[in-house]
């Protein structure tokens, strides 16, 4: 913007130079109410009374101050004094600098322009100056406040005062503001040039409120404001993605988890490898002084294999496993805890080969596989029994007894089911807390499992949306160690046997640095929230906290799609390419359709290939439900 043609510049303050971390200005009153109710141990209904006082005073005095408001508020004197103090302190606390516009102000100051700040505001000068000082706004000649000047921007009187008192030429003036009525029309009444701040241009990559009800929109607007404080400082593209999309989910989940644990009086919390590593780090950072947090080296493989020891036969075992649509014979054996190399003779004797593809969704009815398992059942049972005994010792070592919580990213409840099976002879009561719990899960009817974003009876469509974007989510959440293959005993102590990390092993993959950066971005958002005295510990619905990630997952912008080109996600031995730009045509091994089934980000894959404004999540939802 060329400032050289102007001799003087006026700046609006709120939503221009300064932004608030609340969705609406009156949300400050809700925060004041919480402080008052806690301090005086009464129900004050402050927000309602504060809004009523504003309506009453505005009838009598158009240019009312905060002191005027509190002369008519329906509160006892001591509560009223405390309320006014809290309101000022919270107003200061929720404000943060809009760095883009402050940079414009500082540029104008360096060009020796006359700078004035003007605001239609009821706050007193001392509070306004404290807000400006906090936001490091110092390069101005004078601050004009409507309640002091008895003039406002809407009718233009405040602009007139600035012009007359400082002998300015309006033709050489520029006003910068966000409100069309007061900042644009009000200034133009006196011939002042204007620069309108487009609020949407200040958000990150994802900010649509589509799919949210009115209450959820309010909560989501708050998240958008919370993101603004540091988003301009996050320059790395991977870190920015973690900050904007993953950070709010982890923040919301940690607060929800704390509330859930308190509601069932649990202090002992076990975070399950590997996604649990990041969840544990965040939860300990916020609440480590209150809860005993432990980390269990487990995996779907290392838990389900020992749990098979109590099953009667083939059908009971395979019904406990969630198989992908298409798998090879070798992958099938791995899913049920068996090594192909150790049973290859039996496999080959039935005319099967390690890379033969089978329908994963129908293994329970596959007579050939059923016959194969019958052949190798003694070997399988011995392996299951050995791992079961070792794992029970591992649980004893880690004090897994009494009323405990397990925490993981979730979905089918396979690991909780296995833990409950393996703990049936122990004095253990397990509560599971997850991002989501699927409708057709593997949990027993009396299992206690809860989903933050969705669960049976709550936002269940998100089960299928997340299935369509599981690749980037699980990649972002993964720990740097490899999966838990099983357990071994040395000198009476049971240790987990870890495989090599798919991303961070000897042959470090290209995904490793992006994973670290996205997690660093998410932690940066958490650190920001931890410092926020009034908003950092406020609960938010799972659907709302997930909304930025949801938008990224269903409709990623081109820049983010290109970042994920060729990125892999691993499920056991299955390698899935999230977005593959090399897939062409509709037939053959390299077809677009084959790529779709080999993708762990199917909704993003459709968006990348079709590039049309279609409701991809709904299309995917229909496809998934047809296959149920």
């Amino acid at each position: 913007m060329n400032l050289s043609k102007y001799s003087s510049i006026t700046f609006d303050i709120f939503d221009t130079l300064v932004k608030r971390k609340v969705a609406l200005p009156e949300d400050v009153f809700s925060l004041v109410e919480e402080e008052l109710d806690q301090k005086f141990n009464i129900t004050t209904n402050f927000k309602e009374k504060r809004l009523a006082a504003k309506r009453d005073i505005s009838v009598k005095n158009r240019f009312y101050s905060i002191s005027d408001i509190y002369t008519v508020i329906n509160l006892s004197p001591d509560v009223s004094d405390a309320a006014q103090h809290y309101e000022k302190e919270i107003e200061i606390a929720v404000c943060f600098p809009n760095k883009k516009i402050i940079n414009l102000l500082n540029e104008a100051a360096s060009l020796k322009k006359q700078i004035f700040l003007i605001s239609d505001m009821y706050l007193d000068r001392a509070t306004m100056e404290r807000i400006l000082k906090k936001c490091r706004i110092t390069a101005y000649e004078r601050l004009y406040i409507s309640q002091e000047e008895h003039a406002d921007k809407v009718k233009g009187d405040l602009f007139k005062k600035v012009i007359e008192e400082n002998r300015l030429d309006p033709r050489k003036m520029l006003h910068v503001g966000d409100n069309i009525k007061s900042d644009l029309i009000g200034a133009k009444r006196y011939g002042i040039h204007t620069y309108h701040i487009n609020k949407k241009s200040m958000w990150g990559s994802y900010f649509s409120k589509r799919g949210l009800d009115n209450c959820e929109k309010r909560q989501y607007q708050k998240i958008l404001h919370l993101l603004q404080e540091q988003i301009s400082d996050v320059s790395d593209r991977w870190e920015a993605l973690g900050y904007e999309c993953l950070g709010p989910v982890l923040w919301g989940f940690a607060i929800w988890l704390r509330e859930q644990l308190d509601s069932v009086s649990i202090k002992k919390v076990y975070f399950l490898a590997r996604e649990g590593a990041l969840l544990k780090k965040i939860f300990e950072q916020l609440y480590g002084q209150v809860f005993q947090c432990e980390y269990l080296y487990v995996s779907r493989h290392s838990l389900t294999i020992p749990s098979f020891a109590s099953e009667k036969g083939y059908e009971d075992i395979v019904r406990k496993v969630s198989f992908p649509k298409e798998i090879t014979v070798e992958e099938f054996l791995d899913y049920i805890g068996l090594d192909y190399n150790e049973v290859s003779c039996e496999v080959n004797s039935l005319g099967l080969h390690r890379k033969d593809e089978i329908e994963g969704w129908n293994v329970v009815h596959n007579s050939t596989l059923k016959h194969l398992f019958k052949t190798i059942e003694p070997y399988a049972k011995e392996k299951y029994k050995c791992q079961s005994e070792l794992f029970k010792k591992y649980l004893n070592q880690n004090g897994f007894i009494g009323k405990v919580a397990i925490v993981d990213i979730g979905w089918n409840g396979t690991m909780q089911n296995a833990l409950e099976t393996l703990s049936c002879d122990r004095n253990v009561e397990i509560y599971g807390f997850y991002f989501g719990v699927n409708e057709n899960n593997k949990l027993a009817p009396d299992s206690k499992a809860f989903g933050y974003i969705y669960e049976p009876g709550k936002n269940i469509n998100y089960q299928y949306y997340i299935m369509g974007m599981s690749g980037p989510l699980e990649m972002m959440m993964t720990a740097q160690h490899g999966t838990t293959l099983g357990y071994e005993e040395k000198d009476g102590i049971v240790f987990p046997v870890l495989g090599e990390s798919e991303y961070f092993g000897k042959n470090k993959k290209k995904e490793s640095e992006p994973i670290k950066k996205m997690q660093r971005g998410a932690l940066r958002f958490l650190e920001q929230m931890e410092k926020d005295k009034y908003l950092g510990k406020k609960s938010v619905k799972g659907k709302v906290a997930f909304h930025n990630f949801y938008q990224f997952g269903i409709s990623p912008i081109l820049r983010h799609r290109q970042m994920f080109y060729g990125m892999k996600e691993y499920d056991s031995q299955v390698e899935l390419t999230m977005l593959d730009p090399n897939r062409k045509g509709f037939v053959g091994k390299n077809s677009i359709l084959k790529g779709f089934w080999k993708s762990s980000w199917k909704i993003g894959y459709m968006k990348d290939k079709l590039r049309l404004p279609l409701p991809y999540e709904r299309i995917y939802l229909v496809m998934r439900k047809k296959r149920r």
Side-chain angles (χ1 to χ4, degrees):
M1 184 180 198
N2 183 12
L3 299 177
S4 61
K5 57 184 177 181
Y6 306 109
S7 59
S8 56
I9 303 174
T10 55
F11 287 86
D12 171 49
I13 297 178
F14 292 99
D15 292 324
T16 300
L17 287 170
V18 172
K19 301 182 74 178
R20 289 183 176 104
K21 300 178 195 174
V22 290
L24 296 170
E26 55 261 37
D27 289 344
V28 168
F29 308 153
S30 298
L31 296 173
V32 175
E33 183 173 315
E34 290 178 19
E35 295 295 323
L36 291 174
D37 289 0
Q38 184 175 354
K39 177 180 176 64
F40 293 98
N41 195 27
I42 58 174
T43 301
T44 60
N45 295 316
F46 172 78
K47 182 177 180 179
E48 179 184 332
K49 292 175 181 179
R50 174 63 174 77
L51 291 171
K54 178 184 175 181
R55 289 193 297 270
D56 292 345
I57 198 68
S58 62
V59 173
K60 303 172 186 176
N61 181 2
R62 182 175 152 209
F63 301 108
Y64 57 87
S65 67
I66 189 168
S67 297
D68 295 329
I69 294 169
Y70 278 90
T71 62
V72 299
I73 200 164
N74 183 22
L75 292 169
S76 63
D78 57 338
V79 176
S80 177
D81 290 344
Q84 186 170 178
H85 168 75
Y86 281 133
E87 182 172 344
K88 291 176 183 179
E89 293 302 312
I90 291 172
E91 281 283 9
I92 295 166
V94 301
C95 285
F96 66 95
N98 184 2
K99 294 176 184 177
K100 179 180 176 181
I101 307 304
I102 291 175
N103 288 341
L104 184 66
L105 180 146
N106 291 334
E107 180 187 348
S110 69
L111 294 172
K112 308 299 183 185
K113 306 297 180 182
Q114 285 185 282
I115 298 171
F116 303 93
L117 308 186
I118 62 175
S119 180
D120 288 345
M121 189 33 123
Y122 51 81
L123 287 174
D124 58 282
R125 178 170 291 273
T127 303
M128 293 286 283
E129 288 178 345
R130 286 178 65 194
I131 290 171
L132 294 173
K133 183 179 179 180
K134 178 191 175 185
C135 296
R136 298 182 181 179
I137 300 168
T138 58
Y140 61 93
E141 291 187 23
R142 184 174 166 185
L143 165 63
Y144 285 84
I145 307 172
S146 59
Q147 57 100 348
E148 287 185 349
E149 304 296 337
H150 290 270
D152 60 26
K153 291 184 294 177
V154 177
K155 292 194 173 182
D157 299 344
L158 198 53
F159 292 107
K160 183 181 179 183
K161 274 212 166 197
V162 175
I163 292 168
E164 291 177 348
E165 290 185 3
N166 299 282
R167 298 180 181 181
L168 305 176
D169 182 352
R171 294 170 299 177
K172 294 182 179 180
M173 286 179 66
L174 173 69
H175 177 65
V176 181
D178 70 291
N179 190 285
I180 292 176
K181 187 176 180 181
S182 60
D183 291 309
L184 269 66
I185 298 174
K188 287 183 181 295
R189 288 179 191 273
Y190 288 90
I192 300 171
H193 297 278
T194 60
Y195 177 63
H196 182 231
I197 306 299
N198 182 354
K199 292 182 182 180
K200 286 188 177 180
S201 68
M202 300 179 195
W203 306 131
S205 303
Y206 305 99
F207 50 82
S208 169
K209 299 175 188 175
R210 183 170 68 93
L212 303 177
D213 63 30
N214 288 334
C215 177
E216 291 164 345
K217 286 176 182 176
R218 287 279 300 276
Q219 284 196 346
Y220 179 61
Q221 186 72 22
K222 187 187 298 182
I223 288 178
L224 289 179
H225 282 274
L226 290 168
L227 284 166
Q228 292 307 295
E229 186 170 7
Q230 291 189 32
I231 199 166
S232 60
D233 295 335
V234 186
S235 56
D236 182 89
R237 58 181 186 166
W238 289 106
E239 192 171 330
L241 182 61
Y243 176 86
E244 181 182 356
C245 295
L246 185 60
V249 189
L250 299 179
W251 166 63
F253 179 78
I255 297 170
W256 172 81
L257 177 58
R258 164 70 192 263
E259 292 173 345
Q260 296 295 308
L261 293 172
D262 284 345
S263 71
V264 292
S265 302
I266 290 179
K267 294 296 182 185
K268 194 184 292 186
V269 191
Y270 291 85
F271 293 83
L272 307 185
R274 290 183 285 176
E275 287 83 357
L278 183 59
L279 296 175
K280 179 176 182 284
K281 185 174 184 177
I282 287 161
F283 192 74
E284 272 191 315
Q285 187 172 317
L286 294 174
Y287 307 114
Q289 71 281 7
V290 180
F291 297 90
Q292 179 186 338
C293 300
E294 305 289 348
Y295 188 65
L296 282 183
Y297 282 94
V298 293
S299 67
R300 172 187 52 78
H301 185 281
S302 77
L303 276 180
T304 53
I305 303 319
S307 74
F308 292 160
S310 61
E311 302 301 338
K312 293 179 180 178
Y314 174 80
E315 290 186 2
D316 293 326
I317 288 171
V318 297
R319 282 199 171 102
K320 294 186 73 171
V321 181
S322 297
F323 294 99
K325 176 179 180 289
E326 291 180 355
I327 54 172
T328 63
V329 169
E330 183 177 18
E331 289 163 355
F332 165 76
L333 290 168
D334 180 68
Y335 267 92
I336 63 170
L338 304 177
D339 186 336
Y340 170 83
N341 294 318
E342 294 181 5
V343 293
S344 59
C345 292
E346 290 84 350
V347 173
N348 295 333
S349 69
L350 294 175
L352 296 172
H353 301 89
R354 69 193 310 160
K355 296 302 179 185
D356 287 351
E357 288 197 350
I358 55 178
E359 191 179 55
W361 292 353
N362 198 35
V363 295
V364 70
H365 301 300
N366 190 311
S367 58
T368 304
L369 294 179
K370 193 179 297 185
H371 183 59
L372 170 63
F373 185 81
K374 192 70 176 175
T375 304
I376 59 177
E377 188 169 6
Y379 158 76
K381 288 282 189 180
E382 183 59 31
K383 187 169 186 178
Y384 298 157
K385 180 183 177 183
C386 177
Q387 283 298 302
S388 176
E389 291 171 353
L390 286 172
F391 183 69
K392 288 178 180 179
K393 287 184 180 180
Y394 179 67
L395 290 180
N396 285 335
Q397 286 175 194
N398 286 277
F400 196 81
I401 195 164
K403 196 174 183 180
V404 301
I406 59 172
V407 180
D408 192 18
I409 194 169
W411 317 144
N412 284 308
T414 307
M415 292 205 282
Q416 181 170 340
N417 180 274
L419 273 169
E420 288 171 343
T421 300
L422 292 163
S423 301
C424 62
D425 57 348
R426 301 163 58 85
N427 180 26
V428 181
E429 185 180 4
I430 300 173
Y431 287 73
F433 300 99
Y434 309 100
F435 277 12
V437 178
N438 288 352
E439 197 168 31
N440 299 315
N441 55 63
K442 303 295 179 181
L443 293 160
D446 58 346
S447 292
K448 303 175 185 72
F450 309 91
Y452 175 52
I453 301 168
Y454 73 86
E455 62 187 14
K458 182 183 83 175
N459 301 330
I460 200 62
N461 278 356
Y462 277 75
Q463 168 182 340
Y464 302 100
Y465 298 154
I466 289 177
M467 282 182 183
M469 60 181 79
S470 61
L473 178 58
E474 294 188 0
M475 188 184 91
M476 286 184 194
M477 294 289 297
T478 194
Q480 293 189 29
H481 64 78
T483 189
T484 307
L485 300 175
Y487 305 89
E488 62 182 7
E489 189 171 10
K490 294 180 182 177
D491 300 324
I493 299 174
V494 177
F495 296 91
V497 178
L498 302 181
E500 185 176 344
S501 169
E502 301 92 335
Y503 300 118
F504 300 93
K506 294 176 184 176
N507 300 314
K508 188 181 286 188
K509 301 290 198 307
K510 67 177 183 178
E511 294 88 353
S512 60
E513 283 305 309
I515 289 170
K516 288 193 283 188
K517 288 177 178 179
M518 286 185 287
Q519 292 185 359
R520 188 159 62 236
L523 287 168
R524 184 168 183 167
F525 181 78
L526 267 293
E527 288 163 4
Q528 174 188 327
M529 292 300 96
E530 190 179 9
K531 295 173 185 175
D532 195 303
K533 177 182 177 182
Y534 295 105
L535 294 169
K537 302 292 174 67
K538 301 296 179 186
S539 60
V540 61
K541 288 183 179 180
K543 179 180 174 183
V544 177
F546 186 67
H547 197 62
N548 270 13
F549 201 106
Y550 166 74
Q551 292 179 83
F552 158 73
I554 65 169
S555 189
I557 59 175
L558 178 60
R559 180 176 76 253
H560 287 153
R561 298 202 305 269
Q562 290 172 337
M563 285 162 59
F564 278 84
Y565 280 167
M567 290 286 183
K568 307 286 187 184
E569 197 246 336
Y570 302 88
D571 182 4
S572 185
Q573 296 181 20
V574 181
E575 180 182 289
L576 303 168
T577 302
M578 291 180 225
L579 301 180
D580 190 344
N582 300 315
R583 293 278 179 176
K584 309 287 183 185
F586 294 96
V587 293
K589 290 185 177 180
N590 199 42
S591 69
I592 290 173
L593 191 58
K594 279 279 187 183
F596 174 80
W597 291 115
K598 291 290 185 182
S599 171
S600 59
W601 188 5
K602 290 181 171 57
I603 298 175
Y605 184 93
M606 287 191 288
K607 166 79 174 181
D608 190 59
K609 291 302 179 186
L610 299 178
R611 304 194 179 191
L612 296 171
L614 299 172
Y616 294 103
E617 78 279 19
R618 294 178 191 170
I619 296 170
Y620 180 73
L621 187 63
V622 170
M623 293 169 66
R624 289 292 316 196
K625 287 190 172 181
K626 280 186 176 179
R627 290 183 172 272
R628 289 168 64 186

